[in-house]
Amino acid sequence: MKLLIKNVKMVDAFSSKDGGLLIENGRISRIIETHKSEGQEAMQQLATTDDIEVIDGKGLTLMPAFIDLHCHLRYPGFEYKEDLESGQRAALKGGYTTLAAMANTKPVCDSPELLNSILTRSRGLNLCDLHQVGAITKGLEGKALADFKGMLPYTRLFSDDGNTIFDEAIMKAAIEAAKVMDFKILVHAQPETEIIARDIKLVEELKGSLHFCHISKEASLDLIKAAKAKGLNISCEVTPHHLFAYGLDYKVNPSFRGEGDVKALLKGLEEGHIDMVATDHAPHSHEDKEKGSPGISSIEVAFSMVNTVFQENGLNTNTLSRVMSYAPAKFLGLNSGLIKEGLEANLLLVNLDEAYKISTEDFISKGKNNPFDGAAVKGRVKMTIKRGQMMFQHINQ
Ligand code: DOR
Ligand code: ZN
């Protein structure tokens, strides 16, 4: 099957081009720029070839699909909050074709058997490409290291997200193991700046590497900037909600911060000190939120939130693509996240200027816990394509 997407602006981390592209066998086989007459002719010819299906994307932007390094799919054990299918369908609606799901499930993802069974089940759904994060410590208790060696055939990502590892000796041992066995550690730091400062010191001492999840404070960014300037192997992410609002009294870890923090985080993204945006999509039931569970269900509106804030603050779509597609692809070692011939055709059609109001009622996710219900946003995912296959299409009401 061949698919031609025409009449679009193609935007990725490094370029913006008018034209379209051809998809063959799930890959981008040809990029056609139409600012010159040769390109227009080639496009015309392809568009009228018999065995090529054509999508006219007039007025829309074609981007690499998004990759989320941090979400909670709640399987197994909390399927009343979310499950592999509802979470991945919500993700596709949000423009994500690749996800990393955190390990704070019941039982905790700390064994090879569980990882294998989640991945097998997910493959059977044929929705997103799933990376299942393994726990750093057994049961996320922060006391004893989990079975890294056993889990390594199934994942290269480890995190105790939701919990902080307070025992410095355990953290040191994890950093050492990651260095020897070549895997990534994603750090949940609470209290944020204190733990980040401690862990940067450990990275320096051990010549290791760490990724800091959901940073929210200017002070944290300053520490990370200084560490990177020293050449330390550090990366970090920020969530859509910590960019979209400040000072909100809504339970989420980390908390909403101040206006100055938000401005600093945006500058950090633009300048490249913050590597990526990751959702921390954290679906909860209404009852669990009432009882104080932290988190925001956001994956299907994450792009709209980020695009809105970026437009308001003068950050461009190349930067958005860098932090939502290119950087997470690179982190995961994937040869994707760009619009380039030969790469898997994981692509989105988006309308960067479509204005709408977030409505949690319309969420596919089981988690309706989002404080921005009713908020005006700009930018909507119109179509999500994974390896050349249409996985989601937004039908205008
Ligand atoms: O708000 C949060 N919710 N922060 C976390 O770190 C964990 C997450 C969850 O699992 O609900
Ligand atoms: Zn976390």
mmCIF file with all atom_site columns, all heavy atoms in Angstrom, residues 216 239-249 255-259 261-263 265 296 305 309 312 371-372:
data_model
loop_
_atom_site.group_PDB
_atom_site.id
_atom_site.type_symbol
_atom_site.label_atom_id
_atom_site.label_alt_id
_atom_site.label_comp_id
_atom_site.label_asym_id
_atom_site.label_entity_id
_atom_site.label_seq_id
_atom_site.pdbx_PDB_ins_code
_atom_site.Cartn_x
_atom_site.Cartn_y
_atom_site.Cartn_z
_atom_site.occupancy
_atom_site.B_iso_or_equiv
_atom_site.pdbx_formal_charge
_atom_site.auth_seq_id
_atom_site.auth_comp_id
_atom_site.auth_asym_id
_atom_site.auth_atom_id
_atom_site.pdbx_PDB_model_num
ATOM 1   N N   . SER A 1 216 ? 10.180 21.224 37.724 1.00 0.00 ? 216 SER A N   1
ATOM 2   C CA  . SER A 1 216 ? 9.132  22.244 37.780 1.00 0.00 ? 216 SER A CA  1
ATOM 3   C C   . SER A 1 216 ? 9.616  23.594 38.297 1.00 0.00 ? 216 SER A C   1
ATOM 4   O O   . SER A 1 216 ? 8.867  24.560 38.284 1.00 0.00 ? 216 SER A O   1
ATOM 5   C CB  . SER A 1 216 ? 7.990  21.741 38.677 1.00 0.00 ? 216 SER A CB  1
ATOM 6   O OG  . SER A 1 216 ? 8.466  21.574 40.000 1.00 0.00 ? 216 SER A OG  1
ATOM 7   N N   . THR A 1 239 ? 6.582  18.785 32.166 1.00 0.00 ? 239 THR A N   1
ATOM 8   C CA  . THR A 1 239 ? 5.250  18.336 31.745 1.00 0.00 ? 239 THR A CA  1
ATOM 9   C C   . THR A 1 239 ? 4.484  19.470 31.053 1.00 0.00 ? 239 THR A C   1
ATOM 10  O O   . THR A 1 239 ? 4.784  20.652 31.278 1.00 0.00 ? 239 THR A O   1
ATOM 11  C CB  . THR A 1 239 ? 4.385  17.902 32.951 1.00 0.00 ? 239 THR A CB  1
ATOM 12  O OG1 . THR A 1 239 ? 4.005  19.077 33.674 1.00 0.00 ? 239 THR A OG1 1
ATOM 13  C CG2 . THR A 1 239 ? 5.110  16.943 33.874 1.00 0.00 ? 239 THR A CG2 1
ATOM 14  N N   . PRO A 1 240 ? 3.474  19.131 30.260 1.00 0.00 ? 240 PRO A N   1
ATOM 15  C CA  . PRO A 1 240 ? 2.616  20.170 29.674 1.00 0.00 ? 240 PRO A CA  1
ATOM 16  C C   . PRO A 1 240 ? 1.945  21.027 30.749 1.00 0.00 ? 240 PRO A C   1
ATOM 17  O O   . PRO A 1 240 ? 1.837  22.244 30.602 1.00 0.00 ? 240 PRO A O   1
ATOM 18  C CB  . PRO A 1 240 ? 1.564  19.369 28.893 1.00 0.00 ? 240 PRO A CB  1
ATOM 19  C CG  . PRO A 1 240 ? 2.214  18.067 28.590 1.00 0.00 ? 240 PRO A CG  1
ATOM 20  C CD  . PRO A 1 240 ? 3.106  17.778 29.756 1.00 0.00 ? 240 PRO A CD  1
ATOM 21  N N   . HIS A 1 241 ? 1.492  20.389 31.854 1.00 0.00 ? 241 HIS A N   1
ATOM 22  C CA  . HIS A 1 241 ? 0.737  21.190 32.844 1.00 0.00 ? 241 HIS A CA  1
ATOM 23  C C   . HIS A 1 241 ? 1.607  22.172 33.606 1.00 0.00 ? 241 HIS A C   1
ATOM 24  O O   . HIS A 1 241 ? 1.137  23.233 33.996 1.00 0.00 ? 241 HIS A O   1
ATOM 25  C CB  . HIS A 1 241 ? -0.078 20.299 33.797 1.00 0.00 ? 241 HIS A CB  1
ATOM 26  C CG  . HIS A 1 241 ? 0.652  19.155 34.411 1.00 0.00 ? 241 HIS A CG  1
ATOM 27  N ND1 . HIS A 1 241 ? 0.738  17.920 33.812 1.00 0.00 ? 241 HIS A ND1 1
ATOM 28  C CD2 . HIS A 1 241 ? 1.337  19.042 35.573 1.00 0.00 ? 241 HIS A CD2 1
ATOM 29  C CE1 . HIS A 1 241 ? 1.428  17.097 34.592 1.00 0.00 ? 241 HIS A CE1 1
ATOM 30  N NE2 . HIS A 1 241 ? 1.802  17.760 35.662 1.00 0.00 ? 241 HIS A NE2 1
ATOM 31  N N   . HIS A 1 242 ? 2.899  21.853 33.798 1.00 0.00 ? 242 HIS A N   1
ATOM 32  C CA  . HIS A 1 242 ? 3.767  22.820 34.478 1.00 0.00 ? 242 HIS A CA  1
ATOM 33  C C   . HIS A 1 242 ? 4.140  23.987 33.570 1.00 0.00 ? 242 HIS A C   1
ATOM 34  O O   . HIS A 1 242 ? 4.678  24.988 34.044 1.00 0.00 ? 242 HIS A O   1
ATOM 35  C CB  . HIS A 1 242 ? 5.026  22.134 35.013 1.00 0.00 ? 242 HIS A CB  1
ATOM 36  C CG  . HIS A 1 242 ? 4.754  21.245 36.192 1.00 0.00 ? 242 HIS A CG  1
ATOM 37  N ND1 . HIS A 1 242 ? 4.817  19.884 36.125 1.00 0.00 ? 242 HIS A ND1 1
ATOM 38  C CD2 . HIS A 1 242 ? 4.379  21.539 37.465 1.00 0.00 ? 242 HIS A CD2 1
ATOM 39  C CE1 . HIS A 1 242 ? 4.503  19.362 37.311 1.00 0.00 ? 242 HIS A CE1 1
ATOM 40  N NE2 . HIS A 1 242 ? 4.232  20.347 38.138 1.00 0.00 ? 242 HIS A NE2 1
ATOM 41  N N   . LEU A 1 243 ? 3.860  23.841 32.271 1.00 0.00 ? 243 LEU A N   1
ATOM 42  C CA  . LEU A 1 243 ? 4.073  24.967 31.346 1.00 0.00 ? 243 LEU A CA  1
ATOM 43  C C   . LEU A 1 243 ? 2.788  25.769 31.169 1.00 0.00 ? 243 LEU A C   1
ATOM 44  O O   . LEU A 1 243 ? 2.818  26.960 30.903 1.00 0.00 ? 243 LEU A O   1
ATOM 45  C CB  . LEU A 1 243 ? 4.501  24.444 29.963 1.00 0.00 ? 243 LEU A CB  1
ATOM 46  C CG  . LEU A 1 243 ? 5.789  23.635 29.894 1.00 0.00 ? 243 LEU A CG  1
ATOM 47  C CD1 . LEU A 1 243 ? 5.953  23.046 28.490 1.00 0.00 ? 243 LEU A CD1 1
ATOM 48  C CD2 . LEU A 1 243 ? 6.995  24.504 30.250 1.00 0.00 ? 243 LEU A CD2 1
ATOM 49  N N   . PHE A 1 244 ? 1.663  25.066 31.303 1.00 0.00 ? 244 PHE A N   1
ATOM 50  C CA  . PHE A 1 244 ? 0.367  25.661 30.951 1.00 0.00 ? 244 PHE A CA  1
ATOM 51  C C   . PHE A 1 244 ? -0.180 26.570 32.052 1.00 0.00 ? 244 PHE A C   1
ATOM 52  O O   . PHE A 1 244 ? -0.962 27.469 31.786 1.00 0.00 ? 244 PHE A O   1
ATOM 53  C CB  . PHE A 1 244 ? -0.630 24.525 30.660 1.00 0.00 ? 244 PHE A CB  1
ATOM 54  C CG  . PHE A 1 244 ? -1.902 24.957 29.985 1.00 0.00 ? 244 PHE A CG  1
ATOM 55  C CD1 . PHE A 1 244 ? -1.907 25.306 28.644 1.00 0.00 ? 244 PHE A CD1 1
ATOM 56  C CD2 . PHE A 1 244 ? -3.101 25.000 30.686 1.00 0.00 ? 244 PHE A CD2 1
ATOM 57  C CE1 . PHE A 1 244 ? -3.080 25.689 28.007 1.00 0.00 ? 244 PHE A CE1 1
ATOM 58  C CE2 . PHE A 1 244 ? -4.284 25.381 30.063 1.00 0.00 ? 244 PHE A CE2 1
ATOM 59  C CZ  . PHE A 1 244 ? -4.269 25.733 28.713 1.00 0.00 ? 244 PHE A CZ  1
ATOM 60  N N   . ALA A 1 245 ? 0.208  26.300 33.305 1.00 0.00 ? 245 ALA A N   1
ATOM 61  C CA  . ALA A 1 245 ? -0.392 27.065 34.410 1.00 0.00 ? 245 ALA A CA  1
ATOM 62  C C   . ALA A 1 245 ? 0.585  27.203 35.567 1.00 0.00 ? 245 ALA A C   1
ATOM 63  O O   . ALA A 1 245 ? 1.553  26.448 35.675 1.00 0.00 ? 245 ALA A O   1
ATOM 64  C CB  . ALA A 1 245 ? -1.647 26.363 34.894 1.00 0.00 ? 245 ALA A CB  1
ATOM 65  N N   . TYR A 1 246 ? 0.317  28.162 36.415 1.00 0.00 ? 246 TYR A N   1
ATOM 66  C CA  . TYR A 1 246 ? 1.097  28.312 37.646 1.00 0.00 ? 246 TYR A CA  1
ATOM 67  C C   . TYR A 1 246 ? 0.177  28.657 38.809 1.00 0.00 ? 246 TYR A C   1
ATOM 68  O O   . TYR A 1 246 ? -0.960 29.127 38.609 1.00 0.00 ? 246 TYR A O   1
ATOM 69  C CB  . TYR A 1 246 ? 2.193  29.385 37.483 1.00 0.00 ? 246 TYR A CB  1
ATOM 70  C CG  . TYR A 1 246 ? 1.696  30.720 36.990 1.00 0.00 ? 246 TYR A CG  1
ATOM 71  C CD1 . TYR A 1 246 ? 1.200  31.688 37.863 1.00 0.00 ? 246 TYR A CD1 1
ATOM 72  C CD2 . TYR A 1 246 ? 1.729  31.020 35.620 1.00 0.00 ? 246 TYR A CD2 1
ATOM 73  C CE1 . TYR A 1 246 ? 0.736  32.902 37.398 1.00 0.00 ? 246 TYR A CE1 1
ATOM 74  C CE2 . TYR A 1 246 ? 1.267  32.235 35.141 1.00 0.00 ? 246 TYR A CE2 1
ATOM 75  C CZ  . TYR A 1 246 ? 0.773  33.166 36.039 1.00 0.00 ? 246 TYR A CZ  1
ATOM 76  O OH  . TYR A 1 246 ? 0.308  34.363 35.571 1.00 0.00 ? 246 TYR A OH  1
ATOM 77  N N   . GLY A 1 247 ? 0.649  28.345 39.999 1.00 0.00 ? 247 GLY A N   1
ATOM 78  C CA  . GLY A 1 247 ? -0.086 28.724 41.205 1.00 0.00 ? 247 GLY A CA  1
ATOM 79  C C   . GLY A 1 247 ? -1.405 28.005 41.417 1.00 0.00 ? 247 GLY A C   1
ATOM 80  O O   . GLY A 1 247 ? -2.211 28.407 42.270 1.00 0.00 ? 247 GLY A O   1
ATOM 81  N N   . LEU A 1 248 ? -1.637 26.932 40.674 1.00 0.00 ? 248 LEU A N   1
ATOM 82  C CA  . LEU A 1 248 ? -2.929 26.247 40.780 1.00 0.00 ? 248 LEU A CA  1
ATOM 83  C C   . LEU A 1 248 ? -2.953 25.332 41.993 1.00 0.00 ? 248 LEU A C   1
ATOM 84  O O   . LEU A 1 248 ? -1.984 24.633 42.273 1.00 0.00 ? 248 LEU A O   1
ATOM 85  C CB  . LEU A 1 248 ? -3.094 25.399 39.513 1.00 0.00 ? 248 LEU A CB  1
ATOM 86  C CG  . LEU A 1 248 ? -4.463 25.331 38.889 1.00 0.00 ? 248 LEU A CG  1
ATOM 87  C CD1 . LEU A 1 248 ? -4.884 26.701 38.387 1.00 0.00 ? 248 LEU A CD1 1
ATOM 88  C CD2 . LEU A 1 248 ? -4.442 24.348 37.710 1.00 0.00 ? 248 LEU A CD2 1
ATOM 89  N N   . ASP A 1 249 ? -4.109 25.331 42.686 1.00 0.00 ? 249 ASP A N   1
ATOM 90  C CA  . ASP A 1 249 ? -4.261 24.459 43.838 1.00 0.00 ? 249 ASP A CA  1
ATOM 91  C C   . ASP A 1 249 ? -4.925 23.167 43.365 1.00 0.00 ? 249 ASP A C   1
ATOM 92  O O   . ASP A 1 249 ? -6.129 22.998 43.508 1.00 0.00 ? 249 ASP A O   1
ATOM 93  C CB  . ASP A 1 249 ? -5.118 25.177 44.895 1.00 0.00 ? 249 ASP A CB  1
ATOM 94  C CG  . ASP A 1 249 ? -5.287 24.327 46.145 1.00 0.00 ? 249 ASP A CG  1
ATOM 95  O OD1 . ASP A 1 249 ? -4.491 23.392 46.345 1.00 0.00 ? 249 ASP A OD1 1
ATOM 96  O OD2 . ASP A 1 249 ? -6.241 24.599 46.909 1.00 0.00 ? 249 ASP A OD2 1
ATOM 97  N N   . SER A 1 255 ? 4.110  19.905 42.526 1.00 0.00 ? 255 SER A N   1
ATOM 98  C CA  . SER A 1 255 ? 3.013  20.885 42.554 1.00 0.00 ? 255 SER A CA  1
ATOM 99  C C   . SER A 1 255 ? 3.154  21.909 41.435 1.00 0.00 ? 255 SER A C   1
ATOM 100 O O   . SER A 1 255 ? 4.219  22.056 40.853 1.00 0.00 ? 255 SER A O   1
ATOM 101 C CB  . SER A 1 255 ? 3.050  21.680 43.857 1.00 0.00 ? 255 SER A CB  1
ATOM 102 O OG  . SER A 1 255 ? 3.181  20.836 44.947 1.00 0.00 ? 255 SER A OG  1
ATOM 103 N N   . PHE A 1 256 ? 2.070  22.630 41.195 1.00 0.00 ? 256 PHE A N   1
ATOM 104 C CA  . PHE A 1 256 ? 2.166  23.796 40.311 1.00 0.00 ? 256 PHE A CA  1
ATOM 105 C C   . PHE A 1 256 ? 3.055  24.825 40.983 1.00 0.00 ? 256 PHE A C   1
ATOM 106 O O   . PHE A 1 256 ? 3.005  25.001 42.199 1.00 0.00 ? 256 PHE A O   1
ATOM 107 C CB  . PHE A 1 256 ? 0.776  24.375 40.042 1.00 0.00 ? 256 PHE A CB  1
ATOM 108 C CG  . PHE A 1 256 ? -0.001 23.583 39.031 1.00 0.00 ? 256 PHE A CG  1
ATOM 109 C CD1 . PHE A 1 256 ? -0.923 22.626 39.434 1.00 0.00 ? 256 PHE A CD1 1
ATOM 110 C CD2 . PHE A 1 256 ? 0.209  23.773 37.671 1.00 0.00 ? 256 PHE A CD2 1
ATOM 111 C CE1 . PHE A 1 256 ? -1.627 21.873 38.496 1.00 0.00 ? 256 PHE A CE1 1
ATOM 112 C CE2 . PHE A 1 256 ? -0.494 23.026 36.724 1.00 0.00 ? 256 PHE A CE2 1
ATOM 113 C CZ  . PHE A 1 256 ? -1.415 22.068 37.145 1.00 0.00 ? 256 PHE A CZ  1
ATOM 114 N N   . ARG A 1 257 ? 3.887  25.492 40.214 1.00 0.00 ? 257 ARG A N   1
ATOM 115 C CA  . ARG A 1 257 ? 4.835  26.478 40.773 1.00 0.00 ? 257 ARG A CA  1
ATOM 116 C C   . ARG A 1 257 ? 4.425  27.902 40.439 1.00 0.00 ? 257 ARG A C   1
ATOM 117 O O   . ARG A 1 257 ? 3.263  28.157 40.115 1.00 0.00 ? 257 ARG A O   1
ATOM 118 C CB  . ARG A 1 257 ? 6.243  26.179 40.225 1.00 0.00 ? 257 ARG A CB  1
ATOM 119 C CG  . ARG A 1 257 ? 6.705  24.755 40.436 1.00 0.00 ? 257 ARG A CG  1
ATOM 120 C CD  . ARG A 1 257 ? 6.750  24.366 41.911 1.00 0.00 ? 257 ARG A CD  1
ATOM 121 N NE  . ARG A 1 257 ? 7.327  23.032 42.082 1.00 0.00 ? 257 ARG A NE  1
ATOM 122 C CZ  . ARG A 1 257 ? 7.365  22.371 43.229 1.00 0.00 ? 257 ARG A CZ  1
ATOM 123 N NH1 . ARG A 1 257 ? 6.842  22.898 44.323 1.00 0.00 ? 257 ARG A NH1 1
ATOM 124 N NH2 . ARG A 1 257 ? 7.909  21.175 43.295 1.00 0.00 ? 257 ARG A NH2 1
ATOM 125 N N   . GLY A 1 258 ? 5.409  28.823 40.451 1.00 0.00 ? 258 GLY A N   1
ATOM 126 C CA  . GLY A 1 258 ? 5.108  30.238 40.221 1.00 0.00 ? 258 GLY A CA  1
ATOM 127 C C   . GLY A 1 258 ? 5.283  30.648 38.772 1.00 0.00 ? 258 GLY A C   1
ATOM 128 O O   . GLY A 1 258 ? 5.801  29.887 37.950 1.00 0.00 ? 258 GLY A O   1
ATOM 129 N N   . GLU A 1 259 ? 4.866  31.857 38.490 1.00 0.00 ? 259 GLU A N   1
ATOM 130 C CA  . GLU A 1 259 ? 4.967  32.377 37.123 1.00 0.00 ? 259 GLU A CA  1
ATOM 131 C C   . GLU A 1 259 ? 6.423  32.425 36.649 1.00 0.00 ? 259 GLU A C   1
ATOM 132 O O   . GLU A 1 259 ? 6.734  32.097 35.502 1.00 0.00 ? 259 GLU A O   1
ATOM 133 C CB  . GLU A 1 259 ? 4.342  33.786 37.052 1.00 0.00 ? 259 GLU A CB  1
ATOM 134 C CG  . GLU A 1 259 ? 4.274  34.329 35.644 1.00 0.00 ? 259 GLU A CG  1
ATOM 135 C CD  . GLU A 1 259 ? 3.583  35.686 35.561 1.00 0.00 ? 259 GLU A CD  1
ATOM 136 O OE1 . GLU A 1 259 ? 3.288  36.287 36.630 1.00 0.00 ? 259 GLU A OE1 1
ATOM 137 O OE2 . GLU A 1 259 ? 3.333  36.148 34.434 1.00 0.00 ? 259 GLU A OE2 1
ATOM 138 N N   . ASP A 1 261 ? 8.842  30.508 37.498 1.00 0.00 ? 261 ASP A N   1
ATOM 139 C CA  . ASP A 1 261 ? 9.292  29.150 37.160 1.00 0.00 ? 261 ASP A CA  1
ATOM 140 C C   . ASP A 1 261 ? 8.861  28.780 35.743 1.00 0.00 ? 261 ASP A C   1
ATOM 141 O O   . ASP A 1 261 ? 9.647  28.246 34.965 1.00 0.00 ? 261 ASP A O   1
ATOM 142 C CB  . ASP A 1 261 ? 8.725  28.139 38.171 1.00 0.00 ? 261 ASP A CB  1
ATOM 143 C CG  . ASP A 1 261 ? 9.301  28.335 39.568 1.00 0.00 ? 261 ASP A CG  1
ATOM 144 O OD1 . ASP A 1 261 ? 10.524 28.206 39.720 1.00 0.00 ? 261 ASP A OD1 1
ATOM 145 O OD2 . ASP A 1 261 ? 8.522  28.646 40.493 1.00 0.00 ? 261 ASP A OD2 1
ATOM 146 N N   . VAL A 1 262 ? 7.600  29.087 35.426 1.00 0.00 ? 262 VAL A N   1
ATOM 147 C CA  . VAL A 1 262 ? 7.079  28.742 34.094 1.00 0.00 ? 262 VAL A CA  1
ATOM 148 C C   . VAL A 1 262 ? 7.889  29.450 33.009 1.00 0.00 ? 262 VAL A C   1
ATOM 149 O O   . VAL A 1 262 ? 8.294  28.839 32.013 1.00 0.00 ? 262 VAL A O   1
ATOM 150 C CB  . VAL A 1 262 ? 5.577  29.089 33.972 1.00 0.00 ? 262 VAL A CB  1
ATOM 151 C CG1 . VAL A 1 262 ? 5.088  28.887 32.540 1.00 0.00 ? 262 VAL A CG1 1
ATOM 152 C CG2 . VAL A 1 262 ? 4.756  28.234 34.932 1.00 0.00 ? 262 VAL A CG2 1
ATOM 153 N N   . LYS A 1 263 ? 8.154  30.722 33.216 1.00 0.00 ? 263 LYS A N   1
ATOM 154 C CA  . LYS A 1 263 ? 8.937  31.479 32.220 1.00 0.00 ? 263 LYS A CA  1
ATOM 155 C C   . LYS A 1 263 ? 10.323 30.858 32.054 1.00 0.00 ? 263 LYS A C   1
ATOM 156 O O   . LYS A 1 263 ? 10.839 30.725 30.939 1.00 0.00 ? 263 LYS A O   1
ATOM 157 C CB  . LYS A 1 263 ? 9.083  32.953 32.646 1.00 0.00 ? 263 LYS A CB  1
ATOM 158 C CG  . LYS A 1 263 ? 7.766  33.714 32.678 1.00 0.00 ? 263 LYS A CG  1
ATOM 159 C CD  . LYS A 1 263 ? 7.309  34.141 31.281 1.00 0.00 ? 263 LYS A CD  1
ATOM 160 C CE  . LYS A 1 263 ? 5.930  34.753 31.326 1.00 0.00 ? 263 LYS A CE  1
ATOM 161 N NZ  . LYS A 1 263 ? 5.017  34.358 30.262 1.00 0.00 ? 263 LYS A NZ  1
ATOM 162 N N   . LEU A 1 265 ? 11.203 27.755 32.655 1.00 0.00 ? 265 LEU A N   1
ATOM 163 C CA  . LEU A 1 265 ? 11.107 26.437 32.005 1.00 0.00 ? 265 LEU A CA  1
ATOM 164 C C   . LEU A 1 265 ? 10.964 26.597 30.491 1.00 0.00 ? 265 LEU A C   1
ATOM 165 O O   . LEU A 1 265 ? 11.578 25.859 29.709 1.00 0.00 ? 265 LEU A O   1
ATOM 166 C CB  . LEU A 1 265 ? 9.916  25.650 32.562 1.00 0.00 ? 265 LEU A CB  1
ATOM 167 C CG  . LEU A 1 265 ? 9.998  25.244 34.051 1.00 0.00 ? 265 LEU A CG  1
ATOM 168 C CD1 . LEU A 1 265 ? 8.681  24.623 34.507 1.00 0.00 ? 265 LEU A CD1 1
ATOM 169 C CD2 . LEU A 1 265 ? 11.159 24.296 34.326 1.00 0.00 ? 265 LEU A CD2 1
ATOM 170 N N   . ILE A 1 296 ? -2.565 14.285 36.876 1.00 0.00 ? 296 ILE A N   1
ATOM 171 C CA  . ILE A 1 296 ? -3.426 14.894 35.863 1.00 0.00 ? 296 ILE A CA  1
ATOM 172 C C   . ILE A 1 296 ? -3.495 13.981 34.652 1.00 0.00 ? 296 ILE A C   1
ATOM 173 O O   . ILE A 1 296 ? -2.466 13.494 34.183 1.00 0.00 ? 296 ILE A O   1
ATOM 174 C CB  . ILE A 1 296 ? -2.857 16.282 35.465 1.00 0.00 ? 296 ILE A CB  1
ATOM 175 C CG1 . ILE A 1 296 ? -2.958 17.233 36.665 1.00 0.00 ? 296 ILE A CG1 1
ATOM 176 C CG2 . ILE A 1 296 ? -3.563 16.845 34.237 1.00 0.00 ? 296 ILE A CG2 1
ATOM 177 C CD1 . ILE A 1 296 ? -2.379 18.602 36.421 1.00 0.00 ? 296 ILE A CD1 1
ATOM 178 N N   . MET A 1 305 ? -2.070 21.858 24.748 1.00 0.00 ? 305 MET A N   1
ATOM 179 C CA  . MET A 1 305 ? -1.583 22.685 25.860 1.00 0.00 ? 305 MET A CA  1
ATOM 180 C C   . MET A 1 305 ? -0.207 23.273 25.544 1.00 0.00 ? 305 MET A C   1
ATOM 181 O O   . MET A 1 305 ? 0.032  24.475 25.719 1.00 0.00 ? 305 MET A O   1
ATOM 182 C CB  . MET A 1 305 ? -1.517 21.844 27.148 1.00 0.00 ? 305 MET A CB  1
ATOM 183 C CG  . MET A 1 305 ? -2.886 21.450 27.694 1.00 0.00 ? 305 MET A CG  1
ATOM 184 S SD  . MET A 1 305 ? -2.800 20.149 28.937 1.00 0.00 ? 305 MET A SD  1
ATOM 185 C CE  . MET A 1 305 ? -2.037 21.021 30.293 1.00 0.00 ? 305 MET A CE  1
ATOM 186 N N   . VAL A 1 309 ? 0.800  27.346 24.768 1.00 0.00 ? 309 VAL A N   1
ATOM 187 C CA  . VAL A 1 309 ? 1.807  28.080 25.541 1.00 0.00 ? 309 VAL A CA  1
ATOM 188 C C   . VAL A 1 309 ? 2.974  28.519 24.646 1.00 0.00 ? 309 VAL A C   1
ATOM 189 O O   . VAL A 1 309 ? 3.488  29.631 24.777 1.00 0.00 ? 309 VAL A O   1
ATOM 190 C CB  . VAL A 1 309 ? 2.344  27.199 26.696 1.00 0.00 ? 309 VAL A CB  1
ATOM 191 C CG1 . VAL A 1 309 ? 3.433  27.913 27.454 1.00 0.00 ? 309 VAL A CG1 1
ATOM 192 C CG2 . VAL A 1 309 ? 1.210  26.819 27.642 1.00 0.00 ? 309 VAL A CG2 1
ATOM 193 N N   . GLU A 1 312 ? 1.875  31.486 22.596 1.00 0.00 ? 312 GLU A N   1
ATOM 194 C CA  . GLU A 1 312 ? 1.758  32.699 23.428 1.00 0.00 ? 312 GLU A CA  1
ATOM 195 C C   . GLU A 1 312 ? 3.117  33.270 23.813 1.00 0.00 ? 312 GLU A C   1
ATOM 196 O O   . GLU A 1 312 ? 3.242  34.446 24.090 1.00 0.00 ? 312 GLU A O   1
ATOM 197 C CB  . GLU A 1 312 ? 0.964  32.379 24.707 1.00 0.00 ? 312 GLU A CB  1
ATOM 198 C CG  . GLU A 1 312 ? -0.536 32.288 24.476 1.00 0.00 ? 312 GLU A CG  1
ATOM 199 C CD  . GLU A 1 312 ? -1.297 31.707 25.668 1.00 0.00 ? 312 GLU A CD  1
ATOM 200 O OE1 . GLU A 1 312 ? -0.657 31.441 26.720 1.00 0.00 ? 312 GLU A OE1 1
ATOM 201 O OE2 . GLU A 1 312 ? -2.502 31.496 25.533 1.00 0.00 ? 312 GLU A OE2 1
ATOM 202 N N   . PRO A 1 371 ? -7.501 19.638 35.504 1.00 0.00 ? 371 PRO A N   1
ATOM 203 C CA  . PRO A 1 371 ? -8.051 20.900 36.031 1.00 0.00 ? 371 PRO A CA  1
ATOM 204 C C   . PRO A 1 371 ? -8.357 21.922 34.936 1.00 0.00 ? 371 PRO A C   1
ATOM 205 O O   . PRO A 1 371 ? -8.876 22.993 35.239 1.00 0.00 ? 371 PRO A O   1
ATOM 206 C CB  . PRO A 1 371 ? -6.924 21.406 36.942 1.00 0.00 ? 371 PRO A CB  1
ATOM 207 C CG  . PRO A 1 371 ? -5.678 20.828 36.365 1.00 0.00 ? 371 PRO A CG  1
ATOM 208 C CD  . PRO A 1 371 ? -6.062 19.489 35.798 1.00 0.00 ? 371 PRO A CD  1
ATOM 209 N N   . PHE A 1 372 ? -8.034 21.578 33.681 1.00 0.00 ? 372 PHE A N   1
ATOM 210 C CA  . PHE A 1 372 ? -8.207 22.555 32.608 1.00 0.00 ? 372 PHE A CA  1
ATOM 211 C C   . PHE A 1 372 ? -9.466 22.303 31.778 1.00 0.00 ? 372 PHE A C   1
ATOM 212 O O   . PHE A 1 372 ? -9.573 22.776 30.646 1.00 0.00 ? 372 PHE A O   1
ATOM 213 C CB  . PHE A 1 372 ? -6.956 22.580 31.720 1.00 0.00 ? 372 PHE A CB  1
ATOM 214 C CG  . PHE A 1 372 ? -5.703 22.786 32.515 1.00 0.00 ? 372 PHE A CG  1
ATOM 215 C CD1 . PHE A 1 372 ? -4.742 21.791 32.602 1.00 0.00 ? 372 PHE A CD1 1
ATOM 216 C CD2 . PHE A 1 372 ? -5.508 23.959 33.240 1.00 0.00 ? 372 PHE A CD2 1
ATOM 217 C CE1 . PHE A 1 372 ? -3.605 21.972 33.370 1.00 0.00 ? 372 PHE A CE1 1
ATOM 218 C CE2 . PHE A 1 372 ? -4.369 24.148 34.003 1.00 0.00 ? 372 PHE A CE2 1
ATOM 219 C CZ  . PHE A 1 372 ? -3.413 23.149 34.071 1.00 0.00 ? 372 PHE A CZ  1
#
